[in-house]
Amino acid sequence: MIDRRSFLQGKLSLPFWGGWLWGRKAAAATAPRDFFKELGVRGFINAAEPFTALTGSLMTREVAEAWDYAAPKYVRLDELHDAIGRRIASLIGCEAAMVTSGAASALTLGTAACMTGSDRDKVRRLPDTTGMKTEVIIQKSHRYGYDHAVQIETAEELAHAINERTAMMHFFNTNDPLGKIKLAEFASIGRKHGIPTFNDIAADVPPVENLSKSITLGYSLVAVSGGKGLRGPQSCGLLFGRQDLIRAARLNGPPNSDAIGRGMKVNKEEMLGMMVALETYLKRDHQADWREWEKRVSLIRESVSSIKGVSSEMFVPDIHYRVPHVRIRWDASSMRLTVRDAIRLLREGEPSIEVRPNTNDGLEMGVWLLEPGQTEVVARRLRQVLS
Ligand SMILES: *Cc1c(COP(=O)(O)O)cnc(C)c1O
């Protein structure tokens, strides 16, 4: 430990961060702190999905390096936000983009943008909506935990529902198969009536094509999570699309005070990390990733293939987390083990393993968030639990 006095005297010429790093190195030479252990908090292997309550996905090394790069430097936030927005827009192939505090904040800021436009008086007035367009239209089958909207079912009902109070038309990408109005038609109806359309693709990357698909189809705004498949900072998201609406969304967000989104703060480390996450993701060999995930599924399936009464299969969800997963089924009564029991045993075992929480059709696991060496550990534990 450096005491404060010698720190101030000896290191005065170093910027604070230099001193901090120096202190960190000195400490590392003895024993690195195991913070989670100190706190009595247990880590786990993620054979589930990037759930917020499970801290999402892990940032890539490139993102962590960008974070460390930005941490000891000051920069003007709006200048950085502009530059990063331009870079991200060019990577996706759209007019404009911004880093938000999660996809959830992208939903709020994007909706606010459709209500206020660039009218600063309206921005200051929200959540008082007097005199603003206050209605968002959504298909009944697309209602979900993130919306608060006017619902319709058919294209006729939609055309009928559009009126002078309509601020936006919202699409929940995951539920596309359930709705009567499909992705492309919804956008074109919006265009025909001059109503901004929003597509929430928060958890629908990978596949990589989804990043630009909605823009190509004519959506005005798109939101995606930064800390799910993109493996950026978990507190980040992206909002992108029409230039005027992104400008309006920026007005409704930080660092502006007296704005509905002031609490949805994003700082330089997160913005830069998010940009690097996107760059890194776009450069990946997505086919090689897919083959690797299939290999992991096979390894897990093989580990239980010789256990009597146990069957397994690979499955790929339709839209949400559309990557190879594994499902294991067994006869719960003859094995005297329910899926719920297996989930608990995996969680409580050593090391702790989290799987998908579904219990209605076998034990489901994601393999795409596993780190090198962890597939073998999961396979071994699973075999123990089922034997
Ligand atoms: C996860 C999710 C969100 C919220 O995203 P955050 O990045 O956690 O804020 C919104 N919509 C859908 C469909 C999601 O899956």
Side-chain angles (χ1 to χ4, degrees), residues 52 101-105 107 144 146 172 200 202-203 225-226 228 234 236 320:
T52 298
S101 170
S105 126
L107 295 175
Y144 65 143
Y146 295 92
F172 173 30
D200 178 357
S225 279
K228 291 179 180 168
Q234 162 63 9
C236 283
H320 224 56

Side-chain angles (χ1 to χ4, degrees), residues 269-286:
E269 296 85 0
E270 295 158 295
M271 282 187 196
L272 195 69
M274 191 63 244
M275 180 192 90
V276 170
L278 182 65
E279 288 176 349
T280 311
Y281 178 72
L282 292 173
K283 272 190 242 149
R284 291 191 68 85
D285 179 342
H286 300 283

